[in-house]
């Protein structure tokens, strides 16, 4: 009907109420209005009609918003998630610890869109239900108008009054959501706050809570997926628990069901990977927590529960089918049927229906705590009972805290001569195969008479402990006589005081010589034996250090045919996954591996299941080769797996082939015609580990590890033939900064990367293996996030590649340990060098690293070094043989021995034994994993504090006492020898000539006098140290800082001997 006719007026109004304008109702930017030309309507009717049709405007806007969200939601659901990560803005390893066990660093994300949110889509579906109810109401209203056409406009206003209010509020909400791009937890908080603010109108109140329940149901499903199944069902990164962005799992077929790459719990996982997953793979993002619904404390519980469930799943202790992927979505719709404990079924059902309850906050908090208690109990059962944690803690006490006294008595006696001098280059090998093996055999001999089962268990535990010597400084000024300090892999040899890294292929004498032809064929240059040079022992890299090496490029022979340019490319590598011996052994096995082995691990596939970590998972060893010819394949450093590398590329443009103005490469000229070649030096910092993923190549039959470039730098400089170039690396742990310099004294960094070595790659007690690895100039890495990655080709050397010689190599810590000597010359004592570098390595079986992480083992080693130093010095004092007449030496030895023995007895009896027994009682009576962890942390805190490792001033004084004692042990035997000679001379005076005795007497008296002076000086120094120690202990005890000091003060000064000389 024509809207000008009164009969068509109501039909036009009904269409406007569902969002369709016409001639009577017009649309502006922010509302519907009545056509001013409607002369048949009175002014009051126009006002009533204008107010009424606003619900149609809101209905149209909400419908468009709903359609937009739905369209974006389904588009994003059909797309595979991107594995790209930003290259320049990355902050590798910067996982700040929050006030708890969670890390609160958000992974980088792509730009958010309104539609890319499951929580918003769920709320929009509730919005659509509200609009559907509104449409149904309009249909009924239309029926009423058909029966009674003469109903006034006020009837419409009355019938739609509540709907107008609801639609107006909902329209304001979606506008705020559009403006602020709310999603996930912030969206739920916003909807919750809006619903709680409107409590007058019942219809509005119920509809707002309906929106809350829609978004809340997504959160409930995510909580169930994470806390029950250990999986992050979070395709749009809205959940407050997320993966650390550089530890994403590999993409697998079927992953689209969950929106992100998934984990296959049926695959084995090595101890190192499992420990990394527990410690740093998942983080809590506080900005995504709906804090009006879930407290931050409960969010931390959720993070713990999910990680614990993943541990239980891999151990087969949680779900009956841990490798099931399909069907999880169906289980999330109701209570899971495959839980091991039926009591959790009700809690899961409550979680699913939490936002239908009257108090969702209470239901969520209660359910999270209930699930946490049960998971903590199951995890405690796995760690304490099934893994026999108590037995391992007793073994830790026996080895690290010197509980096995006979073992360390044997060890120190066997190593006494070795500890009296500076450590040799192969100190770790000597002490491992000598004194340590003897001490362990002593422990096994003590097991005679026990049951065979007990003997096997003890042997298995003892085999997990190894002694390590990690020097704080290593310096190779040349490579003469350093064969025991480096490992040569591939085409490497030591000659002329340098280490030559060749290209392989053909006659090695020709290839590695500086007179080799630069135009060797690619077939002769191509070899899969890439050259690697590794330091044989671990080096500390978690603390600040300076690392320097010098290299020399082998230029083509004079008179050789001209090449456009030539150069070298090598990488400084830092990794702990493989020992140099394993890399060396794998190199020799390479030919056999190609026939029957695997490829994904590169040349490492021949290692089987052995390795530095003692565990190798299946995904590290790779997939079978496809039978392709790989005779010319060069194993690059990316084949190692997890590694940090600083690549150095040095290209020389021979004289006559470059432009003097631009420095570009020309095509003519002779390399021997001038003496001004230019060199371009490029430095790049790369990170490679399994979390970044890998790419398969059908053309090359290998799986290339993805690498992430952290930083690059380039410079051009003169490159005369035979020049030695020095590269200096400086790492500052506190600032997480790795800087690379050219030259020893350069102050301007060529390249700088922000990286935390301890968090970025797996280290063992803060140490790693360091090496130099040669690779072809033309090799191209597969970088993370490349839009057009290069084709994966086999790495081959060409005529442009040249060998290099490494002329010097050094590594030095900038932060010294507790035992570092205040250098005033040569370390003549040996105490500082040995006991700052000697440590124990314990191969912790999974899942015990949940209680005994690397940080705990580092603290155990600090206590071990302290106790072993005291025990060694005390044994040296007891082994001294003094003559009866040397009263000063006897008195001083008695004072020193008494002081050290009382300190050592206090450490082992009053501190370690008491705290250890308390910890074992708490663990054995506990019913939760949290209690176990807290008990062990309290034990370590008590031992560290009461052994004065957290009191630097007092600890330094005790180290000074040990230095004085060692000096006394060096001086006293000389004094004894002099006294014996003097006595012998007096007894034989009757048979010797008087002139000979008179000639020797002044020299003996002078020598004895100097030694007496030295002993008195040592006595004065020792008395000063003991006075300072007692004074500091008294002061601390008096102010209540250390209440435990009363025990050690009573032991040291029970009769006032030391304190009697103190000033009042």
């Amino acid at each position: 009907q024509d809207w000008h006719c009164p009969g068509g007026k109501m039909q036009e109004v009904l269409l406007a109420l569902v969002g369709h304008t016409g001639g009577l109702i017009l649309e502006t930017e922010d509302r519907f209005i009545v056509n001013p030309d409607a002369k048949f309507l009175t002014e009051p009717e126009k006002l009533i009609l204008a107010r009424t049709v606003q619900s149609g405007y809101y209905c149209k806007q909400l419908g468009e918003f709903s359609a937009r969200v739905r369209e974006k939601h389904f588009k994003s659901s059909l797309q595979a998630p991107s594995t790209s990560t930003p290259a320049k803005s990355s902050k590798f390893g910067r996982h700040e610890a929050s006030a708890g066990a969670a890390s609160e660093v958000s992974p980088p994300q792509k730009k958010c869109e309104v539609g890319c949110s499951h929580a918003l889509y769920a709320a929009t579906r509730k919005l659509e239900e509200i609009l559907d109810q509104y449409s149904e109401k309009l249909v009924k209203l239309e029926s009423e108008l058909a029966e009674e056409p003469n109903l006034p406009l006020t009837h419409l206003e009355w019938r739609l009054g509540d709907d107008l209010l609801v639609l107006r509020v909902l329209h304001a909400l979606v506008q705020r959501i559009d403006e602020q791009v709310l999603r996930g937890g912030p969206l739920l908080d916003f909807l919750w706050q809006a619903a709680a603010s409107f409590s007058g109108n019942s219809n509005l109140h119920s509809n707002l809570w309906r929106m809350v329940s829609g978004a809340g149901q997504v959160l409930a499903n995510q909580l169930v997926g994470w806390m029950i199944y250990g999986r992050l069902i979070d395709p749009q990164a809205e959940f407050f628990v997320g993966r650390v962005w550089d530890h994403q799992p590999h993409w697998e077929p079927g992953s689209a069901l969950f929106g992100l790459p998934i984990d296959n719990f049926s695959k084995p996982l090595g101890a190192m990977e499992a420990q990394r997953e527990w410690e740093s793979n998942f983080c809590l993002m506080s900005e995504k927590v709906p804090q009006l619904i879930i407290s931050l404390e409960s969010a931390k519980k959720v993070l713990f529960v999910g990680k614990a469930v993943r541990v239980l799943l891999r151990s087969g202790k949680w779900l009956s089918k841990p490798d099931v992927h399909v069907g999880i979505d169906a289980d999330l719709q109701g209570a899971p049927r495959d839980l091991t404990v039926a009591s959790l079924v009700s809690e899961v059902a409550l979680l699913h229906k939490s936002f239908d309850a009257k108090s969702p906050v209470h239901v969520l908090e209660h359910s999270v705590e209930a699930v946490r208690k049960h998971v903590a109990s199951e995890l405690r059962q796995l760690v304490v009972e099934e893994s026999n944690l108590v037995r391992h803690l007793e073994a830790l006490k026996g080895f690290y805290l010197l509980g096995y006294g006979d073992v360390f008595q044997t060890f120190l006696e066997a190593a006494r001569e070795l500890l009296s001098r500076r450590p040799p280059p192969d100190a770790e090998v000597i002490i491992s195969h000598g004194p340590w093996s003897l001490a362990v055999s002593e422990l096994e001999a003590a097991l005679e008479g026990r049951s065979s089962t007990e003997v096997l268990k003890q042997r298995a535990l003892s085999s997990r402990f190894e002694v390590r010597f990690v020097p704080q400084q290593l310096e190779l000024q040349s490579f003469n006589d350093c064969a025991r300090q480096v490992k040569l892999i591939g085409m490497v040899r030591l000659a002329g005081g340098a280490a030559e890294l060749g290209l392989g292929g053909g006659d090695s004498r020709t290839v590695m010589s500086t007179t080799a032809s630069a135009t060797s064929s690619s077939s002769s240059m191509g070899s899969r034996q890439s050259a690697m040079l590794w330091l044989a022992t671990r080096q500390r890299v978690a603390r600040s250090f300076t690392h320097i090496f010098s290299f020399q490029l082998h230029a083509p022979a004079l008179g050789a045919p001209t090449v456009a340019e030539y150069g070298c490319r090598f990488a400084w590598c830092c990794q702990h996954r493989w020992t140099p011996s394993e890399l060396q052994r794998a190199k020799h096995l390479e030919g056999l591996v190609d026939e029957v082995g695997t490829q994904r691990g590169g040349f490492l596939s021949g290692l089987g299941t052995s390795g530095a970590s003692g565990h190798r998972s299946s995904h590290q060893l790779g997939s079978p080769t496809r039978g392709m010819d790989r005779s010319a394949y060069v194993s690059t450093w990316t084949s190692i797996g997890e590694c940090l590398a600083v690549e150095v590329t040095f290209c020389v443009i021979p004289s006559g082939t470059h432009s003097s103005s631009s420095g570009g490469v020309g095509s003519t000229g002779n390399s021997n015609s001038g003496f001004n070649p230019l060199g371009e030096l490029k430095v790049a910092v790369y990170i490679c580990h399994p979390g970044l993923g890998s790419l398969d190549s059908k053309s090359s039959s290998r799986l290339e590890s993805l690498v992430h470039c952290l930083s690059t730098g380039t410079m051009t400089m003169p490159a005369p033939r035979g020049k030695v170039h020095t590269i200096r690396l400086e790492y500052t742990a506190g600032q997480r900064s790795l800087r690379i310099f050219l030259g020893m004294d350069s102050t301007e960094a060529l390249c700088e990367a922000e990286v935390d070595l301890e968090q970025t790659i797996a280290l063992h007690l803060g140490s790693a293996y360091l090496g130099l690895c040669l690779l072809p100039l033309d090799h191209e890495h597969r970088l993370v996030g490349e839009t057009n990655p290069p084709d994966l080709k086999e790495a081959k050397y060409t005529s442009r590649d040249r060998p290099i010689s490494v002329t010097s190599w050094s590594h030095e810590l900038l932060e010294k340990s507790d035992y570092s000597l205040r250098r005033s010359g040569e370390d003549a004592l040996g105490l500082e060098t040995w006991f700052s570098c000697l440590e124990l390595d314990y191969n912790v079986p999974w899942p015990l690293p949940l209680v005994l992480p690397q940080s705990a083992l580092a603290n155990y080693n600090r206590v071990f070094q302290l106790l072993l130093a005291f025990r060694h010095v005390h044994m040296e004092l007891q082994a001294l043989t003094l003559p009866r007449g040397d009263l000063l030496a006897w008195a001083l030895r008695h004072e020193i021995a008494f002081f050290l023995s009382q300190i050592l007895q206090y450490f082992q009896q009053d501190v370690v034994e008491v705290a250890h027994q308390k910890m074992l009682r708490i663990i054995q009576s506990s019913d939760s994993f949290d209690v176990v962890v807290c008990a062990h942390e309290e034990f370590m805190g008590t031992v560290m504090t009461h052994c004065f490792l957290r009191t630097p001033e007092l600890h330094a004084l005790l180290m000074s006492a040990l230095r004085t004692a060692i000096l006394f042990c060096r001086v006293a035997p000389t004094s004894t020898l002099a006294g014996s000679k003097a006595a012998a001379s007096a007894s034989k005076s009757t048979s010797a000539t008087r002139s000979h005795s008179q000639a020797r007497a002044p020299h003996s008296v002078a020598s004895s006098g100097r030694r007496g002076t030295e002993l008195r000086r040592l006595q004065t120094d020792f008395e000063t140290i003991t006075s300072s120690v007692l004074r500091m202990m008294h002061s601390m005890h008096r102010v209540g800082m250390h209440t435990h000091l009363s025990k050690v003060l009573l032991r040291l000064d029970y009769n006032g001997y030391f304190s009697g000389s103190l000033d009042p």
Side-chain angles (χ1 to χ4, degrees), residues 52-263:
T52 304
V53 296
Q54 294 310 312
S55 59
Y57 172 80
Y58 297 137
C59 178
K60 179 181 180 180
Q61 295 295 321
L62 293 173
E64 292 176 352
F65 173 81
S66 174
R68 187 166 66 253
V69 170
R70 182 180 287 272
E71 179 185 6
K72 292 181 179 179
H73 172 76
F74 283 106
K75 281 184 178 180
S76 63
S77 298
L78 294 176
Q79 297 174 353
S82 173
T83 58
S84 63
T85 51
K88 294 184 178 179
S89 61
S90 60
K91 307 294 183 184
F92 243 87
R94 297 201 65 173
H95 311 321
E96 302 286 349
S98 63
S103 176
E104 298 189 358
V105 174
S106 302
Q109 301 168 6
K110 55 187 178 181
K111 184 178 179 180
C112 299
E113 295 183 2
V114 175
C116 298
S117 169
H118 274 249
L120 182 58
Y121 174 70
T124 303
R125 291 190 61 180
K126 295 297 182 180
L127 175 62
E128 291 173 348
E129 293 178 5
I130 297 173
L131 294 179
D132 290 341
Q133 291 179 356
Y134 171 73
S135 298
E136 292 175 0
K137 192 171 184 179
L138 290 179
V139 171
K140 293 180 181 179
L141 186 58
E142 184 180 17
S143 299
E144 294 178 5
L145 290 174
E147 295 176 359
E148 186 61 43
N150 296 321
L151 287 174
L153 291 176
T154 53
H155 179 73
L156 292 179
E157 185 179 21
W158 172 70
R159 288 294 304 272
L160 299 177
D162 288 346
D163 298 280
L164 177 60
L165 175 61
V166 171
L167 295 177
R168 183 171 66 245
V169 173
L170 293 179
H171 178 257
L173 292 181
V174 299
Q175 279 187 320
R176 290 281 300 277
I177 293 172
D178 262 332
E179 294 172 358
Q180 300 181 15
V181 196
L182 297 176
R183 54 206 301 274
L187 173 63
L188 191 53
D189 272 344
F190 175 71
L191 294 176
W192 181 282
Q193 188 173 15
S197 301
F198 294 93
S199 57
N201 188 294
S202 59
N203 189 27
L204 174 61
H205 186 265
S206 61
N207 284 322
L208 288 176
W209 282 112
R210 183 185 297 184
M211 297 273 289
V212 172
S213 66
Q217 190 60 43
V218 174
L219 175 63
N221 290 343
Q222 290 172 334
L223 288 173
V224 173
W226 174 247
M227 297 174 62
I228 304 302
Y229 295 98
R231 303 188 187 279
L232 287 175
I233 307 176
D234 190 22
Q236 302 301 337
E238 300 175 89
F239 193 38
F240 54 82
V241 174
R243 284 183 177 272
V244 176
W245 67 280
D246 50 334
H247 293 82
Q248 292 290 346
H250 303 310
W251 175 265
E252 295 181 0
S255 299
L257 295 175
F258 307 97
L260 283 176
I262 57 176
D263 300 287

Side-chain angles (χ1 to χ4, degrees), residues 426-445:
D426 55 345
E428 181 175 320
V429 176
I430 295 175
I431 205 164
S432 265
H433 295 128
W436 182 253
S437 296
L438 183 63
V440 173
S441 62
E442 179 81 14
L443 178 61
E444 294 180 356

